[in-house]
């Protein structure tokens, strides 16, 4: 019986009332019982069977079995209904005897596994049904170590299908449904499990790293394993050239260091600079690189040093590099690199600052001699012209991440709005055309502002209806749900456009300086033919 459902309660009640004399219905119910000591001190408690033929077996479990039944909020109503249907209650307590108890627990574990296996079969069958597939020998599968969610089952079926097609040239059809074998499903299941194991071992391996000092230890807590970064190249709209170059420069050497360690020229590149106006996706690119190369991500910036490591920058920098080597492959992302490794050597430059800069260079160079180590320094800045020459030299590849033009804005909008429900009047091209000078981050803000419009409408509607109800002394109306939120309209974007404006003006001096710097030092700049090796 669906706990708490009035409809099934009424149906069941009707059925019970119409039962013939000689039938006894026994229901079982699992209950998390914190009050067992108080209410039923030890042993079984039998209530008297009256003229009524129904009984309820009430299994009282301590908390650790709560996972079987943790819909605690629904219990009161469901319990009331149950006791009305089954007025006689037999409570069965946990066995007191140690040996019996452990036997009993074992049996319970087995029951849980059986339930899981059954529910997995049901989930797989329902996904197969939905897409017009049939697996006659599905029951032979037994997945009892986890309860598969729909997303996992869909993945399994996808892999199973490709396996089926690769291994069976003939297609068999039953009741107008394509037949897929349990063997193929097993194949899909194995892939899922091997991916899960890989992820587990990656996470575990970070926990197992032996840290040398408190600096490494503190830093380790901030390291993001590749599986947790959550940004991939697909999440970044436009910037195709930059993405392609990064893939070639970074992914390959990190993934296949063996191919790159032969001569001198193909040595893995140890430093890449991403420069351009703020909000254009530099941080996202760095994260995507780490994700797709399966590398750990260490994010450092001057602001984190000043806030967390004040006065200890030198030791911190040293720990960054020693830890990065330990957990290689890793990406060290230096945000606002100009503030940490800038050249503004004003006479008042802090001694600690100078030492830290030095430490950075020394450790960075130290990396270069160890070819096998797969540590990449990715730096980002809005002010590359403020960088120390020595730093520029150590960042042989410099990629400009520029403001997007109209067609690229459209691509970015497509990515940002991929999961939103849009009204048919929306043309992304039109929105792209009205957002000249917007960065990726401005576009994101625009979309967020637009997405709030339908929600605000609902809140206002709720408020109005509530006021009317109060005025007329009627009960308050039910609140709306997310299903009532309407799709986004062009109007919303027009409204958002009035609220959010471009944060960088393309005519600003900084923009000109950036372009000039790109011409001189950047990849694809006019000095490209003069060979970048000049700076390597
Ligand atoms: P930067 O590091 O260049 O200042 P970020 O990478 O931090 O910029 O971008 C800020 C936010 O702007 C991102 O979290 C993302 O939501 C959005 N954004 C920027 N560029 C893009 C892009 N090309 N595609 C999708 N979203 C973007």
């Amino acid at each position: 019986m669906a706990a708490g459902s009035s409809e099934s309660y009424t149906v069941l009640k009707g059925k019970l009332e119409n039962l013939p004399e000689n039938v006894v219905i026994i229901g079982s119910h699992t209950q998390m019982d914190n009050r067992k000591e108080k209410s039923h001190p030890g042993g079984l408690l039998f209530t008297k069977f009256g003229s009524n033929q129904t009984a309820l077996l009430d299994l009282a479990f301590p908390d650790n079995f709560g996972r079987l039944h943790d819909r605690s909020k629904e219990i009161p109503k469901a319990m009331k209904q149950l006791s009305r249907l089954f007025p006689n209650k037999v409570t069965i307590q946990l066995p007191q005897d140690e040996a019996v108890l452990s036997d009993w627990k074992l049996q319970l574990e087995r029951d849980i596994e059986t339930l899981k296996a059954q529910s997995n079969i049901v989930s797989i069958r329902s996904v197969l049904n939905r897409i017009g597939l049939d697996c006659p020998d599905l029951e032979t599968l037994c997945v009892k170590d986890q309860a598969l969610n729909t997303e996992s089952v869909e993945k399994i079926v996808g892999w199973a299908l490709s396996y089926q097609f690769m291994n069976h040239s003939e297609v068999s059809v039953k009741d107008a449904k394509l037949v897929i074998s349990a063997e193929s499903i097993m194949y899909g299941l194995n892939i899922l499990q091997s991916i899960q194991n890989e992820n587990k071992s990656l996470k575990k391996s970070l926990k197992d790293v032996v840290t040398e000092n408190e600096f490494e230890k503190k830093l380790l807590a901030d390291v993001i394993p590749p599986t947790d970064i959550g940004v991939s190249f697909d999440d970044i709209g436009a910037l195709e050239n930059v993405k392609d170059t990064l893939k070639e420069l970074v992914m390959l050497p990190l993934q296949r260091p063996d191919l790159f360690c032969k001569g001198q020229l193909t040595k893995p590149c140890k430093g890449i600079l991403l420069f351009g106006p703020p909000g254009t996706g530099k941080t996202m690119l760095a994260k995507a690189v780490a994700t797709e190369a399966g590398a750990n991500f260490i994010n450092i910036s001057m602001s984190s040093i000043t806030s967390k490591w004040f006065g200890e920058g030198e030791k911190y920098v040293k720990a960054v590099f020693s830890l990065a080597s330990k957990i290689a492959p890793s990406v060290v992302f230096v945000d606002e690199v100009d503030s940490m490794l800038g050249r503004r050597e004003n006479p008042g430059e802090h001694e600690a600052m100078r030492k830290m800069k030095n430490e950075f260079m020394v450790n960075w160079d130290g990396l270069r001699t160890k070819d096998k180590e797969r540590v990449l320094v990715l730096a980002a800045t809005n002010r590359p012209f403020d960088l120390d020459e020595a730093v520029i030299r150590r960042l042989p590849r410099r990629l400009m991440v520029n403001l997007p033009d109209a067609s690229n804005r459209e691509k970015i909008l497509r990515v940002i709005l991929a999961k939103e429900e849009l009204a048919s009047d929306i043309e992304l091209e039109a929105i792209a055309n009205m957002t000249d000078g917007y960065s990726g981050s401005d576009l994101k803000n625009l979309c967020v502002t637009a997405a709030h419009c339908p929600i605000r409408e609902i809140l206002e509607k709720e408020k109005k209806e509530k006021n009317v109800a109060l005025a007329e002394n009627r009960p308050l109306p039910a609140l709306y749900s997310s299903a009532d939120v309407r799709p986004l309209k062009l109007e919303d974007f027009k409204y958002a456009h009035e609220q959010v404006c471009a944060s960088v003006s393309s005519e600003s001096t900084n923009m000109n300086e950036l372009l000039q710097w790109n011409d001189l030092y950047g990849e694809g700049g006019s000095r490209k033919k003069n060979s970048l090796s000049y700076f390597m």
Side-chain angles (χ1 to χ4, degrees), residues 235-237 239 277-284 412 416 440-441 444:
D235 300 323
I236 306 174
L239 300 173
T280 43
K282 297 182 288 296
T283 310
M284 278 189 108
I412 296 177
I416 296 178
S441 161
K444 173 87 183 255

Side-chain angles (χ1 to χ4, degrees), residues 250 254 286 289-290 295-299 329-333 375-376 378:
V250 187
L254 281 176
V289 163
N296 291 306
F297 189 75
I298 308 178
N299 191 349
S330 50
V331 168
V332 175
F333 178 59
V375 177
L376 172 83
L378 258 171

Side-chain angles (χ1 to χ4, degrees), residues 61-62 67 93 226 272 288 299 345-346 351 368 472 499 509:
F61 291 160
R67 61 202 142 123
Q93 294 283 342
I272 298 175
N299 191 349
E345 281 155 22
N346 49 38
E351 172 71 6
R368 296 170 150 241
E472 295 174 3
Q499 310 292 316
T509 33

